[in-house]
Amino acid sequence: MSEPSSRLLSALTAESQAEWRGYTCHSFVAQLGGGTLPKAAFLHYLRQDYVFLVHFARAWALAVVKSDRIDEMRIAAGTVHALIDEEMKLHIATCAEEGIGEEDLAATTESPANLAYTRFVMDAGLKGDLLDLLVALAPCVFGYGEIGRRLAEETDGPPPDHPYRDWISTYAGDDYQGVCDTVGTLIDNVAARTIGDAYAASPRWPALTETFATACRLEADFWQMGLEGT
Amino acid sequence: MSEPSSRLLSALTAESQAEWRGYTCHSFVAQLGGGTLPKAAFLHYLRQDYVFLVHFARAWALAVVKSDRIDEMRIAAGTVHALIDEEMKLHIATCAEEGIGEEDLAATTESPANLAYTRFVMDAGLKGDLLDLLVALAPCVFGYGEIGRRLAEETDGPPPDHPYRDWISTYAGDDYQGVCDTVGTLIDNVAARTIGDAYAASPRWPALTETFATACRLEADFWQMGLEGT
Amino acid sequence: MSEPSSRLLSALTAESQAEWRGYTCHSFVAQLGGGTLPKAAFLHYLRQDYVFLVHFARAWALAVVKSDRIDEMRIAAGTVHALIDEEMKLHIATCAEEGIGEEDLAATTESPANLAYTRFVMDAGLKGDLLDLLVALAPCVFGYGEIGRRLAEETDGPPPDHPYRDWISTYAGDDYQGVCDTVGTLIDNVAARTIGDAYAASPRWPALTETFATACRLEADFWQMGLEGT
Amino acid sequence: MSEPSSRLLSALTAESQAEWRGYTCHSFVAQLGGGTLPKAAFLHYLRQDYVFLVHFARAWALAVVKSDRIDEMRIAAGTVHALIDEEMKLHIATCAEEGIGEEDLAATTESPANLAYTRFVMDAGLKGDLLDLLVALAPCVFGYGEIGRRLAEETDGPPPDHPYRDWISTYAGDDYQGVCDTVGTLIDNVAARTIGDAYAASPRWPALTETFATACRLEADFWQMGLEGT
């Protein structure tokens, strides 16, 4: 399993190492990988994440609105489809096993951490251009990909009896890793035709890294909300 | 072939009969059905319509942004997909036969009639809610469906040697008619949960009919632009 | 001092009494009125509120974008002006007394509670129509007006030596109360021409009250953030 | 009377000289300066321009939404105010002299040329960032300033008996020229912090010049609509 090769992601994580690690190595993640995460915390997270995915799909639809190249619109629209029709299945299936139905899921009251992150992303898109929006979306897309890969390696699989096997397998799997590759190419192309190749030389670089760092902090808050939901 | 049964569409066309007929029975449409439309006019229209579909897909993506029910997001996202991946194929194939490549198509300078209609729809979505946006989108979706059905009936098919057979078959075909049915259900549901069932009793009705009538006029201008492109 | 007479506000607070009280009678407010609020909590709140006002002014500008009547655009634009040029003065002056300069204020890192509320309002405006946006804006506008009036009455003035005299006087004062009256008329007019006079009979009423209740909860979180900033 | 010194405007007009001249030296403008423009054409234009200003004010409000610096928000909000409260007065007063009341003005049916231009600007703002929006707004702001200055010079005043004296004086006057100066500074600052100082070296330059050229063409169409309204 190789890392997605997005130049822009590498540059952004290099600028915001503390925020990136605070998010991708959060205690929730460590406990999830170690299998010690309380089931109640996981279910609380999963219910919020279902609502999150609704707004995340809206944000990817906003990327279609903000695009004008058919190939890019196709990738963004494909991501909307993957979120609504694929990624949510994990949530619905896992919650169903625990006796939580889909209507119940959809009626979940959004936590403030959920509101903060999703609406920050939407507003980044309303305020800025396609690049601003994609940078705000990046921590979620690529962070879950990195966490999935790492936890799959650390757990050697994960093994069939791992309590969070489905979650890890979903994000470590070829489908999701393929989404990361496609989005990596998209975001690099959009960056190239917006700020050129010398990212740090662009006058927009400080604001872009600030957007990325804020999104990482809000992702960490989301894990924390999961932990505190027990 | 039966008409899509959208209550809202019926109510809107009843309020704006002159505009609806001015659009769906425009001379461009009559000549297209009769096979007398000059090829140059058709190709001029087709090139502009390719650019139109890009912005129309953006407008349907905006419908995803403005939605919060997964089933409705799925329909709107499916329409973005149908526009980008299906409807454009007709344009690309027909233009290719005439020696117009896809890059050439994408480089078409938008006519003012094209700009006026697509951007009016986008702004209806930015200014209003999902219902306002869907009403602005309705003339295009349902008008092409009605024109396709009518021309297929009038031409008995159309026959294999009809110069605009592919165009008529596309919009009269089950795929496109199915889109009209799905969108009809969507728009009726959104209307019901926004202004209730007694449409004309809603204080929003005059503004909604005005949006619909304006979109019909801009569609008629689009046909006229096609005719004048010869 | 009489209450602003907005029918819509009365109907919304009646539906969400717990959330409205949780916000307008929050411990932060009680301590502020009683003069016992730690200065550090007040300054922490004030710095965040400065950043809040920037995004709140953006949200009122979005109300101009979503309007099409000149008189309503004028009110919304006047509110943008009042926020940028008037309300911020209190923050700048108070912080200056404490040695916090305006550049320092503008460089404040937004707290998650701040992000959650302001971006929720922006997204309510992007997703819905002018009424949805105004309902999301209502708790802030009218809540501060009610709190200002109540604290001025409870403190008999407030007296010259009250540590938070300027804050209370600003929101209890004629200028701010006048803004509440004007916005009350605006929001009632927009409601009348959007959902009619029988609010609760509109199919939109549950969603509108949910928006209002969420905004009240996010306002309460904002006070809580202030308390915890000590 | 000196020209506003916007570096960005100079660079954009240099790239799109034909479009800039096609707009600023349109026959409508020449006839207006020469005093030979039929009154009916002028009144047709003025009625459409009243509706135009409503949407132009919305577009400047969108600039506030897309900004995050208080000084820039203040300029954009000030322009909204100038449009709604100052520039419209000319239209209202001139039309009143001809027996056209303000309600009549507000009820004007927008021409397609009007829709095309204003909605193109709104969508440029929704799709892109603040710079994209300002570039779409630039031809109107600066073009009217240049036309006003030039016609005032050509007509030596204009003299008291010039039939379009008020129009020329408004746009040649200190108030409007001051708006051009302020907006010139704003647009140069936004360009500097978005694409840097070497405009043509930015990968965004072709798209920005295309936006500017399209807006100039749509402005020329607007004059043409005026001429054809007789």
Side-chain angles (χ1 to χ4, degrees):
Chain A
M1 230 167 331
S2 67
E3 268 189 66
S5 53
S6 163
R7 265 197 75 213
L8 185 67
L9 178 69
S10 300
L12 289 167
T13 53
E15 294 275 3
S16 305
Q17 291 187 37
E19 288 85 355
W20 181 250
R21 269 201 296 263
Y23 152 44
T24 56
C25 304
H26 190 275
S27 173
F28 185 99
V29 174
Q31 293 178 43
L32 193 148
T36 59
L37 183 70
K39 175 65 72 74
F42 183 69
L43 289 177
H44 182 62
Y45 151 79
L46 215 61
R47 292 175 71 131
Q48 289 294 327
D49 201 48
Y50 180 86
V51 180
F52 173 88
L53 289 176
V54 172
H55 294 286
F56 211 63
R58 293 178 58 229
W60 272 101
L62 187 55
V64 179
V65 173
K66 297 185 78 72
S67 185
D68 52 10
R69 306 202 172 190
I70 293 167
D71 54 338
E72 294 180 356
M73 293 169 73
R74 202 170 270 139
I75 295 172
T79 309
V80 174
H81 169 77
L83 289 165
I84 300 179
D85 289 316
E86 301 301 328
E87 199 171 343
M88 279 180 172
K89 281 184 191 163
L90 168 71
H91 297 67
I92 295 168
T94 310
C95 288
E97 283 172 25
E98 304 292 328
I100 305 167
E102 192 168 355
E103 282 187 25
D104 195 15
L105 268 180
T108 303
T109 299
E110 274 185 282
S111 73
N114 206 343
L115 280 162
Y117 184 24
T118 54
R119 302 320 196 275
F120 169 75
V121 173
M122 294 301 295
D123 186 48
L126 176 60
K127 190 148 80 82
D129 63 5
L130 181 58
L131 181 59
D132 290 303
L133 175 57
L134 291 175
V135 166
L137 287 164
C140 181
V141 177
F142 297 113
Y144 272 59
E146 176 170 317
I147 291 167
R149 281 197 314 277
R150 199 181 63 228
L151 296 191
E153 281 169 12
E154 287 175 9
T155 59
D156 271 325
D161 62 342
H162 192 289
Y164 302 116
R165 185 175 196 268
D166 288 348
W167 192 95
I168 297 170
S169 301
T170 295
Y171 294 107
D174 288 346
D175 282 0
Y176 191 80
Q177 294 293 321
V179 167
C180 292
D181 278 333
T182 306
V183 172
T185 303
L186 170 67
I187 203 171
D188 283 2
N189 287 344
V190 172
R193 65 178 169 81
T194 307
I195 57 168
D197 289 324
Y199 301 152
S202 164
R204 289 179 60 180
W205 191 240
L208 289 167
T209 55
E210 179 58 31
T211 296
F212 184 80
T214 300
C216 288
R217 277 194 296 267
L218 294 169
E219 279 279 13
D221 290 348
F222 200 92
W223 294 135
Q224 191 61 33
M225 171 272 294
L227 282 191
E228 290 167 6
T230 45
Chain B
M1 231 167 334
S2 66
E3 268 188 66
S5 53
S6 163
R7 265 197 74 214
L8 185 67
L9 179 69
S10 299
L12 289 167
T13 53
E15 294 275 3
S16 306
Q17 292 187 37
E19 288 85 355
W20 181 250
R21 268 201 296 266
Y23 153 43
T24 56
C25 304
H26 191 276
S27 173
F28 185 100
V29 175
Q31 293 179 43
L32 193 149
T36 59
L37 183 71
K39 176 65 73 73
F42 183 69
L43 288 177
H44 182 63
Y45 151 78
L46 215 60
R47 293 176 70 132
Q48 288 294 327
D49 200 50
Y50 180 87
V51 180
F52 173 88
L53 289 176
V54 172
H55 294 286
F56 211 63
R58 293 178 57 228
W60 273 101
L62 187 56
V64 179
V65 173
K66 296 184 79 74
S67 184
D68 53 10
R69 308 202 171 191
I70 293 168
D71 55 338
E72 295 180 356
M73 293 170 74
R74 203 170 268 139
I75 294 171
T79 310
V80 174
H81 170 77
L83 290 165
I84 301 179
D85 288 316
E86 301 301 327
E87 199 170 343
M88 278 181 173
K89 281 186 190 161
L90 168 73
H91 297 67
I92 295 169
T94 310
C95 287
E97 283 172 25
E98 304 291 328
I100 305 166
E102 192 169 354
E103 282 188 25
D104 195 14
L105 268 181
T108 302
T109 299
E110 274 185 281
S111 73
N114 206 344
L115 280 161
Y117 185 24
T118 55
R119 302 320 196 275
F120 169 75
V121 173
M122 294 301 295
D123 186 49
L126 176 59
K127 190 149 80 82
D129 63 4
L130 181 58
L131 181 59
D132 290 304
L133 175 57
L134 291 175
V135 166
L137 286 164
C140 182
V141 176
F142 298 112
Y144 272 59
E146 175 170 317
I147 291 167
R149 282 197 314 276
R150 199 180 64 225
L151 297 190
E153 283 169 11
E154 287 176 7
T155 60
D156 271 325
D161 62 341
H162 192 290
Y164 302 115
R165 185 175 196 270
D166 287 348
W167 192 95
I168 297 170
S169 302
T170 294
Y171 295 107
D174 288 346
D175 281 0
Y176 191 81
Q177 294 294 321
V179 167
C180 292
D181 278 332
T182 308
V183 171
T185 303
L186 170 67
I187 202 171
D188 283 2
N189 288 345
V190 172
R193 65 177 170 83
T194 307
I195 56 169
D197 288 325
Y199 300 153
S202 165
R204 288 180 61 180
W205 192 240
L208 289 168
T209 55
E210 179 59 31
T211 296
F212 185 80
T214 300
C216 287
R217 279 194 295 268
L218 293 169
E219 279 280 13
D221 290 347
F222 200 93
W223 293 134
Q224 191 60 32
M225 171 273 295
L227 282 189
E228 289 167 3
T230 43
Chain C
M1 229 166 336
S2 67
E3 267 190 66
S5 54
S6 163
R7 264 196 75 213
L8 185 67
L9 178 69
S10 300
L12 289 167
T13 54
E15 294 275 5
S16 305
Q17 292 187 37
E19 289 85 356
W20 181 251
R21 270 201 296 263
Y23 153 44
T24 56
C25 304
H26 191 275
S27 173
F28 184 99
V29 175
Q31 294 179 42
L32 192 147
T36 59
L37 183 71
K39 176 64 74 72
F42 183 69
L43 288 177
H44 181 62
Y45 151 78
L46 215 61
R47 292 176 70 133
Q48 288 295 326
D49 200 49
Y50 180 87
V51 179
F52 173 88
L53 289 177
V54 172
H55 294 286
F56 211 63
R58 293 178 56 229
W60 272 101
L62 188 55
V64 179
V65 172
K66 297 185 79 73
S67 185
D68 52 11
R69 307 203 171 188
I70 293 168
D71 54 338
E72 294 180 356
M73 294 170 73
R74 202 171 270 138
I75 294 171
T79 309
V80 174
H81 170 78
L83 288 164
I84 301 179
D85 289 314
E86 301 302 328
E87 198 170 343
M88 278 180 173
K89 279 185 192 162
L90 168 72
H91 298 67
I92 294 169
T94 311
C95 288
E97 284 171 24
E98 304 292 329
I100 304 167
E102 191 169 353
E103 282 188 24
D104 196 15
L105 268 180
T108 302
T109 299
E110 273 184 282
S111 73
N114 206 342
L115 280 162
Y117 184 22
T118 55
R119 301 321 195 276
F120 169 75
V121 173
M122 293 301 295
D123 187 49
L126 176 59
K127 191 148 80 82
D129 63 5
L130 180 58
L131 180 60
D132 290 303
L133 175 56
L134 291 175
V135 165
L137 286 164
C140 182
V141 176
F142 298 111
Y144 273 58
E146 176 170 318
I147 291 167
R149 280 197 315 276
R150 200 181 62 227
L151 297 190
E153 282 168 12
E154 288 175 7
T155 59
D156 271 326
D161 63 341
H162 192 290
Y164 302 116
R165 185 175 197 270
D166 287 348
W167 192 95
I168 297 170
S169 302
T170 295
Y171 295 107
D174 289 346
D175 281 0
Y176 191 81
Q177 293 294 322
V179 167
C180 292
D181 278 333
T182 306
V183 171
T185 304
L186 170 68
I187 202 171
D188 282 2
N189 288 344
V190 172
R193 65 178 170 82
T194 306
I195 57 169
D197 288 325
Y199 301 152
S202 165
R204 290 179 60 180
W205 191 241
L208 289 167
T209 55
E210 179 58 33
T211 296
F212 185 80
T214 300
C216 288
R217 278 194 296 268
L218 293 170
E219 280 279 13
D221 290 347
F222 200 90
W223 295 134
Q224 192 60 33
M225 171 272 294
L227 281 190
E228 289 168 5
T230 46
Chain D
M1 229 166 338
S2 67
E3 268 189 65
S5 53
S6 162
R7 264 196 75 212
L8 186 67
L9 177 70
S10 300
L12 289 167
T13 53
E15 294 275 3
S16 305
Q17 293 187 36
E19 288 86 356
W20 181 250
R21 269 200 296 265
Y23 154 43
T24 56
C25 304
H26 191 275
S27 172
F28 185 100
V29 175
Q31 293 179 41
L32 192 149
T36 59
L37 183 70
K39 175 64 73 73
F42 183 69
L43 288 177
H44 182 63
Y45 150 79
L46 214 60
R47 293 175 70 131
Q48 289 294 326
D49 200 48
Y50 180 87
V51 180
F52 172 88
L53 289 176
V54 172
H55 295 285
F56 211 62
R58 294 177 57 228
W60 272 102
L62 187 55
V64 179
V65 173
K66 297 186 77 73
S67 186
D68 52 9
R69 307 201 172 191
I70 294 167
D71 54 338
E72 295 180 355
M73 293 168 75
R74 203 171 268 138
I75 295 171
T79 310
V80 174
H81 170 78
L83 289 165
I84 300 179
D85 288 315
E86 302 300 329
E87 199 171 343
M88 278 181 173
K89 282 186 190 162
L90 168 73
H91 298 67
I92 294 169
T94 311
C95 287
E97 283 172 25
E98 304 291 329
I100 305 166
E102 193 169 354
E103 281 188 26
D104 195 16
L105 268 180
T108 302
T109 299
E110 273 186 280
S111 73
N114 206 343
L115 280 162
Y117 185 22
T118 55
R119 303 321 196 276
F120 169 75
V121 172
M122 293 302 293
D123 187 50
L126 176 59
K127 190 149 81 83
D129 63 5
L130 181 57
L131 181 58
D132 290 303
L133 175 57
L134 291 175
V135 165
L137 287 164
C140 182
V141 177
F142 297 113
Y144 272 58
E146 176 170 316
I147 291 167
R149 282 197 313 277
R150 199 180 63 226
L151 297 190
E153 283 170 10
E154 286 176 8
T155 58
D156 270 327
D161 62 342
H162 192 289
Y164 301 116
R165 186 174 195 269
D166 287 347
W167 192 96
I168 297 171
S169 301
T170 295
Y171 295 107
D174 287 346
D175 281 0
Y176 191 81
Q177 294 293 320
V179 167
C180 292
D181 278 333
T182 307
V183 172
T185 303
L186 170 67
I187 203 171
D188 282 3
N189 288 345
V190 172
R193 66 177 169 82
T194 307
I195 57 168
D197 289 324
Y199 301 152
S202 165
R204 287 179 62 179
W205 192 240
L208 289 167
T209 55
E210 179 59 31
T211 296
F212 185 80
T214 299
C216 288
R217 278 194 295 267
L218 294 169
E219 280 279 13
D221 290 347
F222 200 91
W223 294 134
Q224 191 61 34
M225 171 272 294
L227 281 190
E228 290 168 5
T230 43

